[in-house]
Amino acid sequence: MLVFFKERLVFLAVPKTGTTAYQRALAGRADMVITDPPELKHAPLYRYNRFFRPMFQKVCNAEMETLAVMREPISWLGSWYRYRRRPFMKGQPNATHGVSFDEFVRAYLETPTPGFANVGSQARFLEPRPNGTAITHLFRYEEPHRLDAFLEDRLGVTLALTRENVSPAMELALSPELVRACRRRCAPEFELYESISAGGLNSIAGAPSRSAG
């Protein structure tokens, strides 16, 4: 999470959406940089609303806008799958060594979700709260130029990004049947992703989301 107090902007870090590169590039420009523990570094909107928003409002008398990045849902699952196949994951209960991508996605769709496929939900991470707190600016991972232009204009910086925390490259493809099942079971994820406009705004408010633990 990155906080730019003067600009009244909080950058929430959705896992597997390239936010580590922005954290590295903007750490010196931010007023607060939360890198640890992961529960706070990757604080979802509901946690931000419960703990951070009241602090800014009550202590600083400030209303902050929120910013986040969302990845195409199947690509997002692929990033998690590849991350959990890294060598250091071998022997860990949530490793994906010896598991195909199809098997990983099928497991993700199960209830309850097995540990190796329990990676949460982007829609749940970004879900608007009953008090009206919502993501103000939402960008697609696949369109970094739009996010970069927004940040450079809002913060008055020139970004110089490096690749960070990159998972091993591999070709991943799902069977058409499994793609259809994923779109049915995770419909809120796809609806939210498809609602993101070119200007970095989303039109879905209060949509139900899949919770994978």
Side-chain angles (χ1 to χ4, degrees), residues 37-151:
E39 292 82 2
L40 294 183
K41 174 184 178 180
H42 296 293
L45 185 65
Y46 63 82
R47 193 166 293 145
Y48 166 80
N49 179 61
R50 182 176 180 183
F51 298 106
F52 293 93
R53 184 194 58 79
M55 175 180 65
F56 293 125
Q57 186 178 60
K58 295 177 182 178
V59 178
C60 306
N61 192 31
E63 289 291 341
M64 308 291 283
E65 294 183 358
T66 52
L67 164 69
V69 178
M70 184 179 187
R71 190 167 184 159
E72 192 280 326
I74 292 176
S75 172
W76 185 73
L77 290 174
S79 182
W80 271 113
Y81 172 77
R82 291 184 289 113
Y83 176 80
R84 291 185 170 184
R85 284 179 66 91
R86 287 182 168 190
F88 74 86
M89 292 294 297
K90 282 189 176 181
Q92 299 297 319
N94 58 351
T96 54
H97 297 92
V99 177
S100 71
F101 186 44
D102 267 37
E103 291 170 332
F104 175 79
V105 173
R106 288 186 188 280
Y108 178 75
L109 300 180
E110 292 177 3
T111 302
T113 307
F116 72 90
N118 190 352
V119 297
S121 157
Q122 292 183 97
R124 170 61 174 157
F125 187 107
L126 301 165
E127 188 173 32
R129 311 314 305 151
N131 66 353
T133 301
I135 297 297
T136 316
H137 307 281
L138 184 57
F139 292 88
R140 290 182 178 182
Y141 168 86
E142 292 77 10
E143 298 175 335
H145 60 287
R146 299 190 187 281
L147 172 60
D148 294 354
F150 173 85
L151 289 170

